[in-house]
Amino acid sequence: MSLSVSPVYLGREKPDSGEQAERLSTSGVPDAPETGTNRDHLITEAFSVFYGANEAVRKVSMTIRAGHVTAIIGPSGCGKSTFLRAINRMNDLIPSCYTKGRMVFDECDIYSPQIDVVYLRKRIGMVFQKPNPFPKTIFDNVAYGPRLHGIKNRGQLVELVEKCLRQAILWDEVKDRLDENALGLSGGQQQRLCLARALAVNPEILLMDEPTSALDPRATTHIEDLIATLKGDYTILIVTHNMQQAARVSDHTAFFYEGDLIEMGDTKDLFTNPVEQKTEEYITGRFG
Amino acid sequence: MRRSTRKLLDRSFTAYGFFSIGLMAAALLIILVPVFARGIGAFIFTETVENRRLNLEKFNRGNPEKIMREIERSQEFRRPIYERIARFEEEIRHMDPQARREYRRALTDLKRALSHLLGPVPGEPTPVLWRLQYGQTRWDRAKIKLHEVLFIQEWDYSDPDRMGVKVYRRRSEEFAGTSLYDLFDDLEKNVRDILQPRLTIYWRFLFDRSFDAHFFGGIWPEILGTFYLALGAMVFAIPLGIIAAIYLTEYARQDLFTSLLRSSISTLAGVPSIVFGLFGLAFFINTIGVSQSKSVLAGSLTLALLILPTVIRASEEAIRAVPQTYKEAALSLGAGKWFTVMTVLLPAALPGILTGIVISMGRAVGETAPIIFTAAVSVGRPLKLWQTFSQPTPALPWNIYNLSTEHEAVDEIRHVQYGMVLTLVSLVLVLNLAAIILRARVSRKLKG
Ligand SMILES: Nc1ncnc2c1ncn2[C@@H]1O[C@H](COP(=O)(O)OP(=O)(O)OP(=O)(O)O)[C@@H](O)[C@H]1O
Ligand SMILES: [Mg+2]
């Protein structure tokens, strides 16, 4: 892969519409990016994350394909969450946390100082391990992002909320109670609501950190089905402890161990023919 | 640990907890019951015909015909008294100078005591002060004044080893053997017909301004003043406090300077309020001159400073207590810091912030020391809003202190003082109740 790019330019390319691409920051020269679902959407190069002196993610280099689902697996404490949260710079919240190496999203280094983090996060959405809807109404939860990004028109909002709730396969369950507090929903519904909320800002990459670990099997199936329908439109990274889940939903799988990326490949290959000894031990359940 | 030891420990802790809670409840009762029992006397009391006359003449309240009839009836019983006194005055003219002098002195004393009970003797010029224009308006006070008419209080110093002892002597003895001797028994017998005591409810106590240095009328200027002061303090302290709390939790770098700042704020919360009062005088009035002298504005600013630490601390705690996950959710949707604070953190922290605000409001309502030098006067009219920028005001806490210590006739207006205490305590209780309800409602809305 080539990383000869430096213009700090990012845009959700819409070559057909001819719409002018948006820029992540004011500096840099706009340059039409490559298009197509098979391009590399996210590239890391010797990317490390530190908590103080503790190197939680160690020199990881990987490539995430646009429109694909990539699963990240590994034993507890191996740095999966840390890595995922580094992608939309959620780790900025932790004072002791800093990074080394490069993380390139749409041809631009996420950690370059010119980056507008807020805008980056709009384009890289996230669903958390524990469902975390706002203590607001269901409608307001989904409408939060669109409102934030300037949609004021009520009709437009209603339409968008419905669309996202349908996308998250939640619409039928909540259409009569949009004005109720979201905390009154079940855990599985809350998680789908969070997904709808993330979808409503129309991100390009969706990060999911163990999105089903707090859910029962039925709700888990729901979410997995959802991931299948979102594939193609969104680039999805999902952290999971559930090997079956990784096998079911993902195209590619990355195996982390103690901060290192041990192996990454097509899900089918990795699960049937792991190259590394560690990977094999892990997926056959000998540790972790 | 053995099971029996564990049980014993649990038991003793429970007992100890019950004991301390019981102690607190008892203390509260011991304070509140008398406050209520006495304070209610400002609102519900036995009035005399003098009170009805005053209400009619000064406030145009009551049924004129009925009251005139009552006054007429009262006069029927008073007239003989005054006539007998006049006759006696005539009699002593013919006595020898020595007796004349003594009787005249005794008579002057009697007339003074009588005027305290019944008002000025007919025919004398009308005094300026209301309290001298009328007799006792309250039956409880009237009974005391009656006693003063019937008895002369003297100090007995006969035993040199002990302090003087109060002794009472019948005033009638002064007039033994004269035509006035029977007057006292008659007065005692007829006093109910003269004053016609009757239970009354004076709910206007809350909404009347005071007259003649709190002898009459209500406490509206005090209530309004308290209200202005607390409201003003809130207007200054709430925005400042919340913004400071947001800064401390969300924007400040968590370094030495910030922790220093934090401990300074905690220290400020412990500074005695009189120091704030003096600072308010020195800074707001003397240095920057927000007003020429005492004013509601200066008092509000001083109170705001006093409660600011509390508001900051409470808001800070409340914001800190908001689950990090809310914040992460907002940020992950592309919200900036300010937007996150305004749309997620503050709404979720609202119950806690509100509690802090209401608690500090209770404090602002009740504080005396900060307003002594900056805002409070002992009597005043109710202020218009725009007057609060330049004029001082009476206020409940200060006037309670004032009426119980510095008033010219503390004993005569105890009921006003107790009424103020009851009002103030009720105000604080109502505020706290409002806080509880508000908090419950807001958190119910948040919880869904
Ligand atoms: N806020 C933090 N401050 C300091 N160290 C942290 C912090 N969060 C995580 N770590 C450390 O970083 C390492 C990786 O943690 P991380 O949460 O990424 O693991 P994980 O793979 O997501 O584990 P799990 O599967 O249990 O969620 C761990 O050693 C952990 O102790
Ligand atoms: Mg994790």
Side-chain angles (χ1 to χ4, degrees), chain A residues 51 54 56 74-83 94 96 129 209-210 241:
Chain A
Y51 293 113
N54 173 20
S76 191
C78 69
K80 308 180 295 288
S81 298
T82 303
F83 178 72
I94 300 160
S96 68
Q129 174 171 0
D209 192 354
E210 302 183 44
H241 273 288

Side-chain angles (χ1 to χ4, degrees), chain B residues 37-85:
Chain B
R38 294 183 169 188
I40 204 73
F43 299 89
I44 303 172
F45 61 95
T46 311
E47 62 167 6
T48 66
V49 70
E50 291 294 303
N51 196 44
R52 295 192 279 277
R53 190 157 75 87
L54 177 126
N55 268 317
L56 182 68
E57 289 174 2
K58 301 291 186 190
F59 301 100
N60 213 0
R61 288 175 190 157
N63 178 347
E65 278 125 62
K66 199 164 152 249
I67 293 173
M68 289 316 277
R69 235 179 293 127
E70 282 173 359
I71 294 173
E72 196 50 48
R73 196 175 126 72
S74 167
Q75 290 300 342
E76 271 169 39
F77 287 92
R78 288 176 196 222
R79 221 169 286 129
I81 296 173
Y82 295 126
E83 277 166 9
R84 283 167 79 173
I85 290 174

Side-chain angles (χ1 to χ4, degrees), chain A residues 85 88 90 93 118 121-122 124 126 128 132-136 144 148-149 181 183 197-198 201, chain B residues 324-336 339-340 343-344 347-348 445-448:
Chain A
R85 291 162 58 90
N88 66 347
M90 275 322 236
L93 294 180
V118 167
R121 294 196 185 123
K122 174 182 174 331
I124 304 181
M126 189 159 196
F128 297 82
N132 58 350
F134 298 125
K136 302 171 185 284
Y144 185 87
L148 166 66
H149 300 296
N181 195 307
L183 297 183
R197 182 178 66 185
V201 287
Chain B
Q324 182 82 358
T325 58
Y326 290 173
K327 196 166 136 190
E328 286 183 345
L331 291 177
S332 78
L333 292 170
F339 195 82
T340 307
T343 58
V344 177
K445 217 175 126 211
L446 284 179
K447 295 224 174 68

Side-chain angles (χ1 to χ4, degrees), chain A residues 99-195:
Chain A
T99 63
K100 268 188 191 156
R102 280 159 62 82
M103 161 105 61
V104 177
F105 167 50
D106 239 4
E107 310 190 347
C108 140
D109 190 347
I110 286 174
Y111 282 88
S112 97
Q114 293 103 314
I115 290 292
D116 177 356
V117 182
V118 167
Y119 181 52
L120 172 81
R121 294 196 185 123
K122 174 182 174 331
R123 300 180 57 192
I124 304 181
M126 189 159 196
V127 175
F128 297 82
Q129 174 171 0
K130 256 181 76 191
N132 58 350
F134 298 125
K136 302 171 185 284
T137 65
I138 295 170
F139 184 91
D140 285 344
N141 261 281
V142 183
Y144 185 87
R147 278 190 180 130
L148 166 66
H149 300 296
I151 298 179
K152 297 244 158 56
N153 183 307
R154 178 82 189 171
Q156 219 174 332
L157 275 178
V158 170
E159 207 172 293
L160 192 63
V161 167
E162 177 173 349
K163 191 188 116 207
C164 295
L165 284 172
R166 279 191 194 285
Q167 249 184 323
I169 323 182
L170 188 61
W171 175 251
D172 290 329
E173 289 158 67
V174 300
K175 63 169 181 265
D176 300 323
R177 44 197 280 218
L178 291 176
D179 286 333
E180 281 175 33
N181 195 307
L183 297 183
L185 296 174
S186 76
Q189 289 172 325
Q190 285 188 11
Q191 194 60 301
R192 276 177 286 154
L193 181 69
C194 291
L195 196 56

